[in-house]
Amino acid sequence: MGIIAANRGEKKLTAVHYFDNCATTRVDDDIAELIVRFHTTDYFNPSARSTYSLQIANEITAARKKIAKSLNAGGGEIFFTSGGTEADNLAIFGSLRAKRGNVVVTASEHAAVYNAVSELSNRGYEVRYARVLSDGHIDKDDFVSKVDGETLLACFMHVNNETGAINDVRLLNTLVKARNPKTVTFSDGVQAVGKIPVNLRHLGVDLYSFAGHKIHCSKGIGALYVRDGFRLAPTVFGGGQEKGIRSGTEYVGGIAALSVAVERAVANVERNAETFTRYKQIIRDGLSGITSWRENCQRDASPAIMSLAFADIRGEVLLRMLESDGIVIGTGSACSSKKKQSRIAKAIGLDDNYAEGIVRISFSKYNTEEEVRLLAEKLAKYVVELRSTMLG
Amino acid sequence: MKVIIIRYSEIHLKGNNREFFESALVSNIKTVLRDFQYEFSRSNARYVIRNFDETRLEDMIDAIKNVFGVHSLSVAEEVPSDLKFISAAAVNIAPVSGTFKVNTNRADKRFPMTSMQVSAEVGGDILQAHPDLKVDLYEPDNVVSVDIRENGKTFVYADTIKAVNGMPVGTGGKGVVMLSGGIDSPVAAYMMAKRGMTLRAIHFHSFPYTSMQAKQKVLDLARIVKKYALHLTVDVVRFTEIQTAIHEKCPEEYMITIMRRFMMRIAERIARMHGAGAVITGESLGQVASQTLESITSTNSVATIPVFRPLIGFDKDEIIEIAQKIGTFETSILPYEDCCTIFLPKRPVTKPRIENVLKVESALNVSALIDEALANVETITV
């Protein structure tokens, strides 16, 4: 039952205006059909001995190449996983060979990286937390200064999932490698691939993760880029699929779908960026009559993400008020909304009266200008209403 | 044949009312066993369950031991009252090391040996089978019990499983418990069910200020409480309009005091509608601003039926301990706002004076707000 409907005992309510595309996206119809095809028609196990199986194995190879080509990597560098979280964990736990040393990370990382790295500290590694600037960007100087001869791994996300801040991954990689060429560099690209230009060779990192469901593919499929020549150890053992790095019968439908989704999203990055930039302006204009709000990241931000903070408002309440108009937005990261305080709110040093008023609007190609205008209008309306209620 | 022996607690203290308490207990036991096949019989001061699926024994025991009024359980072998069978069963269930004694109760006086003789014989057989065992009549690690019944059958058992005690639900009247979603109120509900109360629950919901997840959490808690309370219906009261009205018309520091008075009035109205004679809250003296003596006085003064506060003298640690025992803690600590925290003032009054409260409250049309809230109750059977 829909969320509002359940509250009011009314009929099922479906979200019509979806602006939480950082949490997940609607799967493209043809991609959904493609996935089904690999369950009902082309369901053979790619590792079995029949000719049918060989055809399926070839589909996987083709998908790998297609993804690699879209992101300027080699086909041998793409390893499929069950999603972003698994790719992140594989990167972190599969790259550490030394028993001792330190890992450098920031508090702005997604929970899949942050909590995996926290686990390393339980296992005896030293974890060093670098600062985040007030708009969600990694403080490069602080980050690099924490890297030394003992640094085994440096994790710096590409696009911050809460504020949209785009980090200069190429520069961070160069600076980290200059201080310690042996340090493994890993970037979480879950909010970057298909949303901003990603050229893996150019970025230069050893490891880079991304997920299908953020770009109109299904949940349950993601990948880790492993730079050619980099030796990664498996964390899952079994039949030796994915060159032994990630055993388990391949999710063939997901893999084929991911290749279509990546290729499509990458091809549309520029056009979408233009559209989304216009959408952001519509929202800014809509809020022009409102006081005491800020756009959390204005410089080098992903066009797909707009993080706003309103003083004296609880973002969650605003979210639920918008639901009554069929509008869905996000607050911070859906993956960590079960935690009380946003790490990012803390990390970017928001004032207390703004800290609870963060909302995240994230766009996809399915959004229309008309519904962005509706969002802008309702957002302004409810902020005024809520302030008059909450402030009395 | 394996049987389950159920012993009951305080009920045996009741004189003429005994049948009332017993029939409630039996009915409650049958309620928790509704998904099982078995034969149930009452015998002197205990119940016996026979002919059940032994692979589901653990589940049955888990269900029965949480029924209020049950004192303890034993899983026994039922054998013909013949020393040869009794000994064989005893050897079978006896421990293999440590100390033990045999305890015999001979209700059937036709049995040709005395209790002492039976204990000695059976103990001897057990020792012979398990040479590592030692007899200790005073502080044994294990007791093997032999109960020779009048019907020619004997129960032989080694373990006694402690149950929850208390009074059978349905024998202590009916109460309406305010469930907030926090740690305390489910424990308060449990405590009153333990004294035999039939419960109904009320939750105050302030969508969109509180989320559907918060409401879901309360329903999840209610489901856990229901394991003990046996039947539970939750009335979800839409509280948004009342809260915003208070917020608009009353000074911030009186927000909670006034809100609690509304909750109490609504709880009492719902109690009366459903024939309940008490309101139950999870208040613990001094825990928060709304739980000082002065605050409780101000809330209590709108109630005309008894308000039970079973946790009033408990420390938070003690409440948490019970919450963990009954399985509500993990759900209670999920971080969803409840309606008490959403408009939380920075400095609530800790010692509201009743005359000030009345003055502040006079800005509101109390009865109209309550009627509106009661017209918007969603009743959910969990």
Side-chain angles (χ1 to χ4, degrees), chain A residues 3 6-7 314 320 338 389-390, chain B residues 208-209 211 247 335 337 343:
Chain A
I3 204 158
N7 184 49
R314 209 176 281 234
R320 289 194 285 274
K338 288 193 172 67
T389 310
M390 299 301 288
Chain B
Y209 298 97
S211 62
H247 192 72
E337 307 287 350
F343 285 105

Side-chain angles (χ1 to χ4, degrees), chain A residues 76-152:
Chain A
E77 297 175 313
I78 303 295
F79 292 82
F80 295 111
T81 66
S82 65
T85 296
E86 192 196 329
D88 293 341
N89 276 265
L90 176 58
I92 291 163
F93 293 106
S95 65
L96 290 178
R97 269 176 285 274
K99 293 259 191 297
R100 281 184 203 293
N102 67 69
V103 176
V104 182
V105 69
T106 73
S108 62
E109 290 292 328
H110 184 274
V113 172
Y114 188 84
N115 289 335
V117 170
S118 300
E119 169 59 21
L120 291 179
S121 76
N122 297 335
R123 299 186 185 182
Y125 295 93
E126 182 199 345
V127 177
R128 296 178 177 175
Y129 296 94
R131 285 199 318 130
V132 181
L133 299 174
S134 66
D135 58 4
H137 284 100
I138 294 170
D139 182 335
K140 278 194 284 287
D141 298 338
D142 191 51
F143 193 96
V144 175
S145 74
K146 295 219 157 37
V147 176
D148 61 20
E150 307 296 307
T151 304
L152 303 172

Side-chain angles (χ1 to χ4, degrees), chain B residues 152-170:
Chain B
K153 296 284 174 68
T154 295
F155 296 137
V156 184
Y157 55 91
D159 293 318
T160 298
I161 301 157
K162 276 190 65 175
V164 284
N165 281 317
M167 302 286 288
V169 167

Side-chain angles (χ1 to χ4, degrees), chain A residues 273-318:
Chain A
E274 267 173 44
T275 312
F276 298 163
T277 305
R278 205 170 70 242
Y279 290 171
K280 281 191 181 182
Q281 195 51 46
I282 293 172
I283 291 169
R284 283 186 207 112
D285 293 345
L287 293 173
S288 59
I290 306 275
T291 57
S292 305
W293 63 277
R294 57 170 269 183
E295 196 174 335
N296 292 320
C297 181
Q298 297 174 48
R299 175 184 61 91
D300 298 331
S302 162
I305 303 177
M306 190 175 199
S307 170
L308 304 173
F310 296 93
D312 306 314
I313 277 197
R314 209 176 281 234
E316 247 192 84
V317 178
L318 193 53

